Amino acid sequence: GVKRSGRNGWQFFTKNMQIDSEKRHLLSTQLVTAIDKQEFSVYYQPIVDLTDNRVSKCEALVRWFRAGKQIPTDEFITLAEETGRINEIDRFVLATASEQLIALSQRLNYAISLSINVSPRVFSSKDDSLDRWLALITKASEQLDITVEITERLLIEESDRIMWVLTKLKSLGITIAIDDFGTGYSSLSYLTKFPIDIIKIDQSFIKKLGQEKIPEALTETMIDLSHKLNLEVVAEGIETLEQLNYLRHWQCDYGQGYYFNKPLPTASFIQLIEQEQRHRYT
Ligand code: C2E
Ligand code: MG
Ligand code: MG
Ligand code: MG
């Protein structure tokens, strides 16, 4: 929508940027007890290897159901980052997802990698959040192939602490991905400075494939650039076969989006992997 802003005149905003203050206050109060009340759960969205169509990774995405209603994830993540609850949520998601995926991959003998989001907040936490998150991910990485998704925003800071953590994650065999690639800052120097393995092209580009020339050219260029730098590419938000065909043509490595699957609750995700397994190995 369009909103009248005080100093700068008319500005665009997206639904995740602004929620009214009354609702914010109520939500932030409810957020405090949501973990204890077990209102959070983890959904899984398949990530498909475009060379063989196999579901080789999945992204864990947090969901908040309160009194039968789902609170939009972007809304409460923003709020949790402002109020400091985010680190607790990230720990919950990491612990839950790694436990469920370790069980799944062992029971079905199906290799699958877990992609997990982490808030930039954990890297600058003043309490023991970073240590606790590192302890959890270290343990999980012993039994599971893990990708950590970070945003470009984090790398702009170029802090020693961030470099130290990323280097530590690499030493554990963890893969590092840049989420929402292309939406942040124009400096690309961080791609070679930091130990990055994967870029995830933001869905705003993918939506325009077949419709607008500039996002199309940018997507092709991002894929080329990544491959030249020995990085792999995931395209986010694929909704149509046409979009997928463009991406295949440009040799994009992985795809994620409603065209394949929406994020699924654990039981449905397990069913999907069981089907995949039967289909491929029997
Ligand atoms: P993200 O990490 O970029 O995740 C991808 C988002 O795109 C998800 O939204 C997913 O449901 C949505 N999506 C996937 N495919 C399609 C598609 O084909 N079309 C459309 N329209 N949307 C698609 P979701 O689950 O609402 O999450 C929003 C954001 O919240 C995430 O964006 C991530 O930044 C954040 N988030 C989610 N879970 C966590 C978490 O556990 N920890 C942290 N720190 N952030 C999280
Ligand atoms: Mg993500
Ligand atoms: Mg993303
Ligand atoms: Mg996003």
Side-chain angles (χ1 to χ4, degrees):
V2 181
K3 189 180 192 291
R4 175 93 203 165
S5 85
R7 269 174 306 166
N8 306 319
W10 295 93
Q11 273 192 346
F12 284 96
F13 71 99
T14 52
K15 68 172 190 324
N16 59 328
M17 287 167 69
Q18 309 256 327
I19 46 176
D20 70 65
S21 64
E22 210 171 308
K23 196 172 165 199
R24 279 172 59 95
H25 181 74
L26 191 65
L27 267 189
S28 61
T29 310
Q30 291 162 345
L31 201 52
V32 176
T33 55
I35 289 195
D36 289 340
K37 288 184 171 169
Q38 300 185 301
E39 291 172 352
F40 289 119
S41 55
V42 180
Y43 275 38
Y44 299 92
Q45 187 173 34
I47 300 176
V48 175
D49 184 332
L50 298 183
T51 59
D52 62 3
N53 292 320
R54 185 178 180 276
V55 176
S56 59
K57 307 162 182 270
C58 62
E59 180 171 6
L61 295 157
V62 68
R63 292 292 179 263
W64 184 11
F65 290 97
R66 212 185 154 276
K69 268 186 60 189
Q70 188 186 333
I71 322 274
T73 302
D74 273 325
E75 249 175 56
F76 74 81
I77 290 286
T78 308
L79 201 60
E81 289 193 327
E82 288 165 15
T83 59
R85 306 301 290 191
I86 189 65
N87 296 330
E88 218 178 318
I89 296 176
D90 281 352
R91 282 199 299 274
F92 165 80
V93 174
L94 178 56
T96 307
S98 54
E99 192 189 306
Q100 293 185 335
L101 275 203
I102 289 168
L104 169 79
S105 57
Q106 287 176 350
R107 186 169 63 82
L108 298 177
N109 190 26
Y110 187 99
I112 188 157
S113 160
L114 169 67
S115 231
I116 196 110
N117 294 283
V118 64
S119 165
R121 285 278 308 239
V122 82
F123 296 91
S124 54
S125 61
K126 303 256 181 322
D127 58 10
D128 59 355
S129 286
L130 182 58
D131 288 341
R132 291 177 71 180
W133 182 80
L134 279 172
L136 272 178
I137 205 160
T138 301
K139 191 159 160 283
S141 71
E142 288 161 10
Q143 293 184 78
L144 195 64
D145 187 21
I146 298 181
T147 299
V148 170
E149 301 191 2
I150 57 175
T151 53
E152 293 172 278
R153 197 156 44 113
L154 186 69
L155 303 180
I156 294 308
E157 294 168 33
E158 295 190 30
S159 85
D160 292 345
R161 200 179 194 194
I162 289 162
M163 184 61 102
W164 180 83
V165 177
L166 296 184
T167 308
K168 163 102 184 143
L169 294 176
K170 290 301 299 170
S171 77
L172 295 169
I174 291 169
T175 302
I176 315 286
I178 306 294
D179 208 348
D180 305 339
F181 186 79
T183 58
Y185 301 84
S186 52
S187 163
L188 295 176
S189 58
Y190 68 78
L191 284 179
T192 51
K193 217 174 288 171
F194 290 98
I196 310 299
D197 306 291
I198 294 182
I199 68 151
K200 296 188 75 175
I201 300 179
D202 191 67
Q203 26 185 305
S204 55
F205 296 94
I206 310 305
K207 277 198 181 76
K208 302 284 168 60
L209 300 182
Q211 292 173 21
E212 286 179 33
K213 287 295 161 202
I214 291 175
E216 232 170 80
L218 287 171
T219 302
E220 186 180 6
T221 304
M222 285 189 273
I223 295 171
D224 271 353
L225 174 73
S226 302
H227 288 163
K228 284 182 178 127
L229 297 175
N230 269 323
L231 305 169
E232 289 193 308
V233 185
V234 179
E236 290 191 308
I238 303 174
E239 293 187 353
T240 69
L241 180 60
E242 188 188 17
Q243 293 162 353
L244 177 60
N245 285 337
Y246 275 95
L247 294 160
R248 281 195 200 283
H249 180 69
W250 296 323
Q251 263 127 51
C252 182
D253 305 282
Y254 299 93
Q256 176 179 1
Y258 296 172
Y259 176 77
F260 297 108
N261 290 100
K262 288 197 168 178
L264 301 166
T266 310
S268 314
F269 182 70
I270 291 175
Q271 272 181 9
L272 180 123
I273 298 300
E274 282 171 347
Q275 267 169 31
E276 276 276 303
Q277 228 258 5
R278 272 200 300 277
H279 171 71
R280 272 166 201 279
Y281 305 106
T282 57

